[in-house]
Amino acid sequence: MPIIADNHGTEALSDAFRRAGYLIDLSTFPGEFRGKNAWALLTREGTPATAIIYPPGKGDAAFLNMQKLWQSSFGQRRSSSGLPEPLEYLQEIDALITQRCDGPSLAEPGRLTDEKIVEAIHLLAALHDCDAQPETRRTSRGILRSMQRKAEQICQHVPQHRDCIARLVEAMEAARTRDSELVPSHGNFRPECVIATTRGLRFVEWGRFQWADPCRDLASFGIATWKSSLMRGRMPDRSLLKRAVASYEAARPGAKIHKRLSFHVAASVLRLACILAESKASDVYLVPMLANLALRELV
């Protein structure tokens, strides 16, 4: 995750922006533009821009990914680009500067409408069909190895749930099938990463751009509401996932995703369980619930 600047860091960031030719946009309070890691800027010409501050050495990969995408059929060659234009990377402060995307994300209350879901998934299909060339590959075999590591991490934090996590990993091993296609994948596709601008949707947060099965993005998006449902004491439903899959199949009718979808849904749920196990103690009770939900997808 990008870092958060304190008051002393704020002054240093402002000086670094100024030296690079940017000013903090005072019409938007610093630290309140899409979180404390993001800053609303103005270029020398007065054009709105955004700076995302990353941990040391992490933002340059995201900038490289965005450059590849911007130069592809998903970016500037598209009638309406699928991402904000990457402007530059300020190594001094690990700041990725992009064109500003003003508008709400689909994670905000009331924004995840049926119309926007269809629009987002059709744009996702365009990403998967674009000619961008990611640097890294994430096969199902690689995902399984990652899930085994995450299972170990979960058990370190909540050893009382070791048995249910072990059952889930065993089920994932049995359910894994050979990849039929690897596409240019967002890698962390969630409603928070989809911004509704006046010129259409834009995808942001490109740190995990990679070759991957299309189900990876669909699963990540489709379970976006599961945590909040569990926290309200409700059993998560698959309506968002079903709508996303139906829209995707309409946009890419040649994609055969059903045989591999359950594996990737389980992987997305296990990633979420790992995040919760390593974060707030108050959310740890959700870990076995999520493990059981993932297991249900596989059996």
Side-chain angles (χ1 to χ4, degrees):
M1 291 293 291
I3 62 174
I4 297 175
D6 56 20
N7 289 335
H8 177 72
T10 298
E11 184 177 349
L13 287 174
S14 181
D15 289 342
F17 289 144
R18 190 179 301 109
R19 288 194 298 271
Y22 300 96
L23 294 176
I24 293 176
D25 186 354
L26 297 179
S27 66
T28 301
F29 289 106
E32 295 185 2
F33 181 78
R34 298 206 192 293
K36 293 183 179 180
N37 62 303
W39 297 79
L41 305 178
L42 293 173
T43 68
R44 291 185 180 90
E45 296 76 23
T47 303
T50 299
I52 307 294
I53 310 300
Y54 283 82
K58 297 293 185 180
D60 51 352
F63 181 59
L64 175 63
N65 291 339
M66 292 188 72
Q67 286 182 306
K68 287 177 174 290
L69 283 156
W70 184 253
Q71 294 161 8
S72 77
S73 56
F74 188 72
Q76 62 181 339
R77 289 191 271 124
R78 200 169 185 272
S79 58
S80 178
S81 64
L83 76 161
E85 180 182 0
L87 301 178
E88 65 177 308
Y89 184 66
L90 303 181
Q91 193 80 41
E92 175 190 358
I93 55 172
D94 295 287
L96 193 165
I97 313 294
T98 73
Q99 169 195 38
R100 194 188 308 173
C101 284
D102 287 326
S105 80
L106 296 195
E108 295 186 16
R111 298 292 180 176
L112 202 58
T113 63
D114 188 71
E115 177 185 1
K116 291 302 181 185
I117 293 170
V118 172
E119 187 179 350
I121 298 302
H122 277 245
L123 185 57
L124 179 67
L127 170 65
H128 290 176
D129 280 331
C130 82
D131 57 6
Q133 301 289 305
E135 291 286 317
T136 60
R137 298 170 67 88
R138 179 66 74 166
T139 64
S140 61
R141 187 181 300 275
I143 289 174
L144 182 57
R145 288 196 296 266
S146 175
M147 293 304 102
Q148 291 166 341
R149 291 192 296 270
K150 289 189 180 301
E152 293 174 0
Q153 292 171 334
I154 291 172
C155 293
Q156 289 175 2
H157 291 277
V158 284
Q160 66 270 31
H161 301 313
R162 182 179 298 275
D163 289 344
C164 71
I165 298 299
R167 287 194 299 271
L168 172 56
V169 174
E170 290 176 2
M172 291 187 68
E173 291 176 355
R176 186 184 74 83
T177 59
R178 183 174 298 178
D179 300 301
S180 63
E181 67 169 337
L182 297 180
V183 299
S185 167
H186 184 278
N188 190 28
F189 188 61
R190 299 165 292 119
E192 291 89 338
C193 300
V194 185
I195 308 301
T197 75
T198 56
R199 299 189 61 186
L201 299 184
R202 300 285 187 276
F203 293 170
V204 297
E205 298 184 21
W206 290 101
R208 297 183 183 178
F209 180 55
Q210 58 195 222
W211 292 108
D213 190 299
C215 291
R216 179 180 175 91
D217 285 337
L218 286 170
S220 180
F221 189 87
I223 71 158
T225 61
W226 287 20
K227 177 187 172 183
S228 59
S229 293
L230 288 174
M231 292 184 70
R232 293 196 300 269
R234 300 177 183 175
M235 181 62 66
D237 64 53
R238 301 176 89 255
S239 58
L240 177 57
L241 181 62
K242 289 180 179 179
R243 189 71 185 96
V245 168
S247 298
Y248 190 83
E249 290 179 325
R252 293 186 80 223
K256 299 177 181 179
I257 60 178
H258 283 280
K259 288 184 178 180
R260 307 183 312 281
L261 183 63
S262 61
F263 172 84
H264 288 276
V265 171
S268 290
V269 175
L270 185 54
R271 289 187 198 100
L272 175 58
C274 187
I275 292 171
L276 296 183
E278 295 179 336
S279 58
K280 295 181 180 178
S282 59
D283 291 337
V284 168
Y285 76 97
L286 295 175
V287 169
M289 298 182 191
L290 289 167
N292 287 327
L293 282 173
L295 194 58
R296 285 175 55 183
E297 293 291 323
L298 299 169
V299 299

